[in-house]
């Protein structure tokens, strides 16, 4: 079965960013492990050096004072100072680099798990709805065929059956009609729910993408701060570490945090040419040019479905007009403080536009079949070239899907809705 999630650009970019983030986390853990070993060495060395300094002091105290012994006393004090420096360096690495890094990585891990769960739950809704639509369509197809067979039986046996048998057949036909209408409505509602589930999944991917991006920015700044503090402590060791410090300082002077963040965003950005939304359109028995359905009933059924779609389209248009008025009022009022409300309204506008696209695409597809039946000119639709049909085996049956370029929808809504 075709994977409904495979071609989503947000899904691909989100996975690429997760891989980038995982590599960054592994690097951060390895650096922290090395710093921990360095801190342990510094503290261990400081303890050994301190013992030697104490031992040296005792030797000096038991020796008669002279110029030579006084000179060696400065050596002992130097050992004490060096031990103190190594001790402070080891503790500073633990407190200022290792501990904060462990805390940040722990928070990041919990946050990433939460984001992954959100994406997985939203994706499961899309897959679940996709499967529900497939089952509902199969069920509707079977019921429609049975209903048509029953209709043919009623018409063909009008003159050959008794009045009582005719009443039974008409009763069965009525029940079949009611059942068919119920299954048709169920299939239609599942299709609309699929649109909402798909939008929710893509919005979840986009939001989680931004959240992980913020975590990566925080991790980059953390590594920069750790490196900067490390060099500050190393610099107090004096002339013996000058060469090493100069090299590290030179490397630090070339670091541009904002440039690294910009590079990250460019490498993981969503390509506008690949960012598409894909929806499953309704596909009814009445649309099959080769079905055995009575032409009048076929036309009547198509008109009924078109009427239902037209009502939903008119409602969606009214909703869009209301949202447009809200957005215009926000733009006119520069003192409007609630940025979150503007963001929510803009998101509702996007969702309404996409829902309207789905309804109009379904209406165009049904209207095309009806026009062919009534021998009228075919209607037009800006996305007619993006509507395609494919068959799956087994069983052999068809579905329709339509692909919209999201940026085209967002920035050229009037053209899409004409």
């Amino acid at each position: 079965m075709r994977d409904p999630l495979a071609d989503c650009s947000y899904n691909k970019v989100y996975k690429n960013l997760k891989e980038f983030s995982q590599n960054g986390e592994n690097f951060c853990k390895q650096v922290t492990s090395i710093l921990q070993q360095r801190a342990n060495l510094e503290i261990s060395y400081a303890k050994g050096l301190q013992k030697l300094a104490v031992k040296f002091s005792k030797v000096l105290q038991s020796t008669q004072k002279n110029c030579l012994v006084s000179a060696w006393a400065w050596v002992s004090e130097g050992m004490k100072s060096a031990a103190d420096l190594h001790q402070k360096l080891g503790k500073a690495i633990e407190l200022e680099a290792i501990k904060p890094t462990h805390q940040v990585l722990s928070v990041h891990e919990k946050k990433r798990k939460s984001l992954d769960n959100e994406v997985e739950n939203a994706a499961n809704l899309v897959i679940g709805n996709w499967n529900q639509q497939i089952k509902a369509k199969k069920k509707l197809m079977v019921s429609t065929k049975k209903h048509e067979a029953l209709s043919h039986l009623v018409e063909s046996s009008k003159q050959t059956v008794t009045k009582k048998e005719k009443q039974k057949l008409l009763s069965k036909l009525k029940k079949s009609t009611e059942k068919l209408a119920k299954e048709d409505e169920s299939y239609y509602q599942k299709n609309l729910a699929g649109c909402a589930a798909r939008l929710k999944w893509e919005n979840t991917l986009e939001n989680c993408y931004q959240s992980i991006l913020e975590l990566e920015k925080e991790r980059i700044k953390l590594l920069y701060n750790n490196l900067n503090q490390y060099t500050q402590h190393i610099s107090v060791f004096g002339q013996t570490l000058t060469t090493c410090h100069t090299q590290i300082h030179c490397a630090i002077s070339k670091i541009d945090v904002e440039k690294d963040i910009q590079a990250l965003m460019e490498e993981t950005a969503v390509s506008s040419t690949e960012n598409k939304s894909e929806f499953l359109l309704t596909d009814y028995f009445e649309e099959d040019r080769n079905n055995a359905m009575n032409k009048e009933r076929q036309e009547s059924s198509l008109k009924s479905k078109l009427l239902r779609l037209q009502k939903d389209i008119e409602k969606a248009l009214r909703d869009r007009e209301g949202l447009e008025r809200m957005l215009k009022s926000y733009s006119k009022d520069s003192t409007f403080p609630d940025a979150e409300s503007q963001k929510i309204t803009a998101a509702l506008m996007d969702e309404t536009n996409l829902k309207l696209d789905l309804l109009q695409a379904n209406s165009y597809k049904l209207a095309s079949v009806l026009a062919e039946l009534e021998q009228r000119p075919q209607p037009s639709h800006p996305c007619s070239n993006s509507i395609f049909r494919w068959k799956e085996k087994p069983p052999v049956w068809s579905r329709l899907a339509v692909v919209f370029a999201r940026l085209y929808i967002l920035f050229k809504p009037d053209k899409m809705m004409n």
Side-chain angles (χ1 to χ4, degrees):
M1 185 181 73
R2 190 173 183 275
D3 184 2
L5 311 179
D7 296 327
C8 177
S9 56
Y10 270 126
N11 192 30
K12 295 178 182 177
V13 172
Y14 179 75
K15 290 181 178 179
N16 291 338
L17 180 60
K18 278 185 60 180
E19 183 178 356
F20 182 95
S21 177
Q22 186 61 53
N23 292 336
E25 181 182 5
N26 292 339
F27 172 78
C28 199
K29 288 180 178 179
Q30 291 173 1
V31 170
T32 304
S33 175
I34 292 172
L35 287 178
Q36 181 65 67
Q37 295 177 54
R38 172 65 188 271
N40 293 340
L41 287 173
E42 291 293 338
I43 294 172
S44 177
Y45 179 74
K47 291 179 179 179
L49 195 57
Q50 183 66 32
K51 290 179 180 180
L52 290 176
V54 171
K55 186 176 181 178
F56 202 359
S57 295
K58 292 178 179 179
V59 171
L60 291 171
Q61 289 173 3
S62 62
T63 304
Q64 187 177 358
K65 298 296 186 289
N66 55 37
C67 292
L68 184 60
V69 172
S70 297
W72 277 105
W74 285 106
V75 174
S76 176
E77 290 299 320
M79 293 173 69
K80 291 180 182 179
S81 297
D84 184 56
L85 284 173
H86 283 284
Q87 179 75 15
K88 288 181 178 179
L89 177 61
K91 293 295 183 182
I93 292 174
E94 286 185 335
L95 294 176
E96 299 177 19
I98 297 173
K99 185 177 180 180
T101 301
H102 280 317
Q103 292 174 343
V104 170
L105 290 179
S106 177
V107 172
H108 283 194
E109 183 178 2
K110 292 179 181 178
K111 180 66 175 177
R112 275 196 297 269
K113 286 183 179 178
S114 175
L115 294 174
D116 287 342
N117 287 336
E118 288 183 34
V119 171
E120 184 179 359
N121 291 337
N124 288 338
L125 289 177
V126 174
I127 295 173
N129 174 269
W130 185 282
N131 293 330
Q132 288 176 6
Q133 287 196 61
I134 291 174
K135 291 180 181 178
K137 178 186 172 177
K138 288 180 180 178
K139 187 176 181 181
L140 180 60
M141 285 288 186
V142 171
S143 296
T144 305
K145 290 178 180 178
K146 290 181 177 180
H147 181 77
E148 283 303 302
L150 183 58
S151 298
H152 283 301
L153 178 61
V154 171
E155 290 179 2
S156 61
S157 60
K158 284 182 179 179
Q159 306 300 327
T160 61
V161 297
T162 64
K163 184 177 181 181
K164 185 176 181 181
E165 290 174 334
K166 184 177 181 181
Q167 287 297 327
K168 287 183 179 180
L169 288 174
L170 290 175
S171 177
K172 287 183 179 181
L173 184 62
K174 181 180 179 181
K175 291 180 180 179
S176 176
T177 302
E178 293 173 352
K179 179 184 177 183
L180 188 63
K182 184 178 179 180
E183 291 178 358
D184 179 81
E185 183 63 23
S186 175
Y187 176 41
Y188 178 75
Q189 293 300 327
K190 284 181 173 61
N191 183 254
L192 294 181
C195 174
R198 181 81 182 196
L199 289 174
K200 180 181 178 181
W201 174 61
E202 293 189 357
N203 289 334
T204 301
L205 281 174
E206 184 177 4
N207 293 335
C208 291
Y209 166 87
Q210 293 297 333
S211 297
I212 291 183
L213 200 61
E214 291 301 320
L215 295 181
E216 284 304 294
K217 293 178 185 179
E218 184 179 351
R219 185 186 59 78
I220 289 174
K221 291 180 180 179
L222 174 67
L223 286 173
Y224 171 78
N225 292 334
N226 287 346
L227 184 58
N228 194 38
Q229 291 175 348
Y230 176 83
T231 56
Q232 289 177 8
H233 287 293
I234 290 296
S235 64
V236 302
F237 277 79
Q239 190 63 37
T240 55
L241 298 176
T242 299
T243 303
C244 178
H245 171 67
T246 302
Q247 293 174 344
I248 298 176
H249 184 73
C250 180
I252 291 177
S253 65
K254 296 179 181 179
I255 293 176
D256 187 343
V257 175
E258 296 301 324
K259 185 177 180 181
D260 286 349
I261 292 175
Q262 182 63 30
L264 166 66
M265 296 180 69
E266 290 176 357
E267 290 175 5
T268 59
V270 180
S271 172
S272 60
T273 59
E274 297 179 355
N275 187 20
K276 298 177 180 179
S277 291
E278 181 176 291
F279 300 107
L280 192 68
L281 298 182
T282 56
D283 188 19
Y284 295 103
F285 177 81
E286 292 87 339
E287 297 179 65
D288 186 358
R289 272 71 168 176
N290 300 320
N291 66 45
M293 192 172 185
N294 179 275
K295 183 178 179 182
E296 292 182 358
R297 281 200 307 279
Q298 187 177 6
E299 291 179 358
S300 175
S301 179
L302 288 171
K303 289 177 181 179
S304 174
K305 290 175 170 57
L306 281 169
L307 180 61
R308 176 176 60 186
L309 282 167
Q310 186 58 38
K311 290 180 180 179
D312 285 349
I313 289 172
E314 291 173 357
K315 182 179 182 302
L317 287 170
R318 291 194 298 271
D319 293 342
R320 189 178 67 174
E321 290 174 359
L323 292 170
E324 286 176 344
R325 287 194 294 270
M326 291 176 66
L327 289 173
K328 287 180 181 179
S329 66
Y330 292 156
S331 61
K332 290 180 180 179
D333 187 0
S334 59
T335 61
F336 190 78
D338 193 354
E340 185 64 24
S341 294
Q342 298 184 46
K343 183 178 179 181
I344 293 173
T345 305
L348 288 173
M349 173 65 82
D350 294 341
E351 182 177 344
T352 301
N353 282 335
L354 289 174
K355 179 180 179 180
L356 193 54
D357 290 334
L358 174 69
L359 294 172
Q360 290 181 333
N362 275 325
S363 178
Y364 160 75
K365 193 163 63 66
L366 293 177
S368 298
V369 178
L370 185 60
E372 183 177 337
L373 290 173
E374 296 178 345
Q375 297 182 347
R376 291 186 291 101
Q378 289 288 320
S380 61
H381 189 277
C383 286
S384 58
N385 292 333
S386 297
I387 299 176
F388 61 93
R389 179 189 296 267
W390 75 94
K391 292 184 178 181
E392 294 184 349
K393 298 181 180 181
V396 179
W397 59 286
S398 62
R399 296 178 297 176
L400 286 171
V402 61
V403 179
F404 297 111
R406 180 184 289 274
L407 290 178
Y408 184 46
I409 293 170
L410 294 180
F411 297 114
K412 296 185 179 180
D414 293 335
K415 185 173 180 181
M416 288 294 295
M417 301 306 165
N418 286 338

